[in-house]
Amino acid sequence: MTFAKTGLSRRAFIQGTTAVIGAAAFGAHRAAASVPAPIGDLPKGVTFRWIDSGDQKAVFYKKFFADYAKDRGIEVVYDALPWNEIAQVVPLGVRNNSAHDVFALPQNVNPADAVAQGWVQPYDDFIPDIATWKASFPAGAFLPGINEFDGKTYGLPFTSNKRYGTHLLYNKAYMTEAGYDPEAKPLNWTEFRDAAKKITEAGKGRYFGFIIGGNQLGRWSQTVRNMGRMAGASAGGDSVIEADIDFRTGDYVFDSDAYIAAIELLIAMQADGSVFPGIMSMNAPQARAYMPQGAAGMILQRPWNIGGWEGQNPEFDFGVSSGPVPDEGPVGKLTIGQGALAPNTMWLFKGSELGPIAGDIFHYLGTVEGQTAWANIVGAGDPPIFPEALEGAEMSYRSKAILQHFNEAIRVGPNPVVGNSELGKVIGAFQAPEVNFARTVQGLVAGELKGVAQEMKGLKDRYNAALDAAFAKAKADGAAVDRSDLVFSNWNPNEDFGAADY
Amino acid sequence: MFETLHRYRYHYLMLLPGLILGGMFVFYPIFAACYYAMHDWSGFNSDKVFVGMGNFVKLFTDPIFWDAFQRALIFLLGTVPLQMTISLVLAVLLNNQLLKMSTYFRTMIFLPVVTPVAVIGIIWTFLLSPFNGPVNGLLLDLGLISRPVDFLGSTDTVMPSVIGVYVWKWLGITMIYWLAALQTVPDDVYDSAKLDRCRGAKLVWYIVLPIVLPFAVAITLISAVGALNVFPLIMSMTNGGPFFASEVMEIFIYRTAFATGDGSIPRLGYAAAAGVFFGFVVLSLTIGQAIATRRARAGAKEIRS
């Protein structure tokens, strides 16, 4: 690897970063839908507050809330914060009775706990004929133990879970020069490594084959998990107690051949010198910002890059495709939990007196009109939960292509909480090992840890111990749970797991 | 007693605002941290379980905690001597009023002190970047390295890099302390030394340094306490990584309390225990500072007389 001057100046980088942030914050290149008629009498002259994790969602909300506030004669404060800040702001707000009226739950708070602790309130009373409204959602959107408790509706499940965060986005010119066309045929692991090498060689220090935000730990676990799943490790689930568990056996797959091979591939690419220098001190948005600047050829990230780049970097010619597939054998499916996308599910604060406004907005987001407006702006980044909204949405060919890929690559797996809602107590008690999955992969790629197979075996042992401890604690607290609740012997990873399969 | 209270009632009244503010922002958080440290609590719910000293027992057997503690000490030992020595040399040079542009140089050296830490951290990540970073560019141009160094991404170089940035950032304030100390050396001491033909390094070593020694002790300990409070710089530069390599105590506490990052529950009680322990370490340093300053002051008096 050699150092060379490139076209990416500090100014260009900052402009690029700003552009991506701008895309998230202001880049509404399509107009939001008009504000719907109110569903009932709403308070006026009040301030309504909403908080979530932003990204492409912010593009929709900034425009929609501005129009909505004007139409309803209220003020709407929309805060988009990263998850680590949501994890601080929301609990503190709840404790001080000053939380936002509507919030996304921190990722380490499970809904059952939020209900039990009195963080949230049901919104059944704020939407007229809520049963009919709920019936218009796809099956599995509302689930007891997930967003329904004691027959009441608590969470708004308005975006689809059917997406994954490590599909390939690549610079078309570099990829063509390297002799590959992933849109025509997804790269297999060997081709992925070879493409990275060839792009790096062609770059002569001005650009590199592959980039990843290695300082953002979750990128490592997601990348290995999804590559491992596609290579045949049947790991399922979304929540902390089920990710990386093979539901057929109830055991972790950290030491599976597929996971180990995926890590070894990343280490080999690092050794090839075809990984962008400085990845360990770079987070995902920084890595993302380098792509349109031409500093890297490939990145495995989320679909919301598509809208951001198309809006802010229209000159950037990029392609999207499946994440790397195994060299031989069938391509494994990616598993998602039954239900809507948990991080985007919105909750009404128990202390809020503006339930009617929340109900008005929730109602709109749960109509074809609202869902289509959402799809028009957010696109593939956070797809709407109504399939018909996707069909009618105006989206780029890239967004449509990646959504089609998601449909092919992703299957709904079992959600153990649906099988036994008391597992929520296990989730609440689970304490992941300090040297967790993501850190272990980072340590192995950074060269701080040696021996992939041995480390992954140790990791599996640590997770098993942590999971056993969580079950023991939940049982001691009176929960009727058992590790066999994580076993679904009839699960076929290549098919959707429906309500009848429990 | 009541008569005394009545007589000095206005004095006590004047003390009240300070006591109230101190109670709210100093004493209450200290007691709250001690209270939480004795509970197994995520901070999310009301399920606080009293565990007594259990968190401390766990803490003392936690290798990741001790690694973080060790790194905090390495950071302290890496920064304080460097900071003290470089700033003293600069202060001695810039204390000479006849030196041209001394005010300009003092201002330039002080400038990073008033720049927000987060800004410094972000700018230095660009400067140290292995891809097009000017520091790597310079080293390559000078032929000192053959390939770019990933200063913040390598477990070998991350701590020295952050230490370097920290020393650069806070050099100015230590230099100001030294300048203040140097200005307490009476002119007649310099005059007497000149009469005795004591100049240059000899003058500094045998005359000036013994007089400013009490200040040196205080400055060292202030710098040491400062070097233990590096949260914003490390968060903005490395987030404690890669693979814990720059995770000092404060980052450990923050990660444990809030940013588990893997979706599992935080451990506010455990983090509070680490915080209480860390507080005791800082308190010990402060007590050491008071004792050492008193002793050094007594020694300096003898030299002056």
Side-chain angles (χ1 to χ4, degrees), chain A residues 321-337:
Chain A
S321 95
S322 157
V325 299
D327 288 358
E328 52 197 33
V331 179
K333 300 293 182 193
L334 301 168
T335 309
I336 53 171

Side-chain angles (χ1 to χ4, degrees), chain A residues 133-175:
Chain A
W133 176 76
K134 281 168 73 175
S136 65
F137 281 69
F142 292 94
L143 293 168
I146 303 291
N147 45 29
E148 287 181 339
F149 298 89
D150 297 328
K152 297 276 184 186
T153 317
Y154 283 81
L156 172 71
F158 72 109
T159 64
S160 167
N161 206 3
K162 217 165 208 182
R163 59 165 205 187
Y164 70 101
T166 58
H167 70 81
L168 181 68
L169 299 116
Y170 62 93
N171 183 312
K172 270 194 172 174
Y174 296 169
M175 191 63 84

Side-chain angles (χ1 to χ4, degrees), chain A residues 245-252 464 467 483-484 486-488:
Chain A
I245 279 187
D246 185 339
F247 287 129
R248 292 169 302 190
T249 60
D251 204 6
Y252 284 107
N464 268 322
L467 189 56
R483 267 195 76 158
S484 62
L486 301 179
V487 179
F488 297 86

Side-chain angles (χ1 to χ4, degrees), chain B residues 21 24 129 147 213:
Chain B
L21 289 174
M24 283 166 64
S129 166
R147 48 184 293 160
L213 189 65

Side-chain angles (χ1 to χ4, degrees), chain A residues 305-320:
Chain A
N305 289 302
I306 298 172
W309 289 344
E310 286 174 343
Q312 296 301 314
N313 305 91
E315 76 293 345
F316 176 44
D317 189 14
F318 67 98
V320 295

Side-chain angles (χ1 to χ4, degrees), chain A residues 332-353:
Chain A
K333 300 293 182 193
L334 301 168
T335 309
I336 53 171
Q338 195 180 28
L341 184 71
N344 282 354
T345 299
M346 300 307 295
W347 305 83
L348 176 59
F349 174 43
K350 177 99 177 243
S352 172
E353 292 172 355

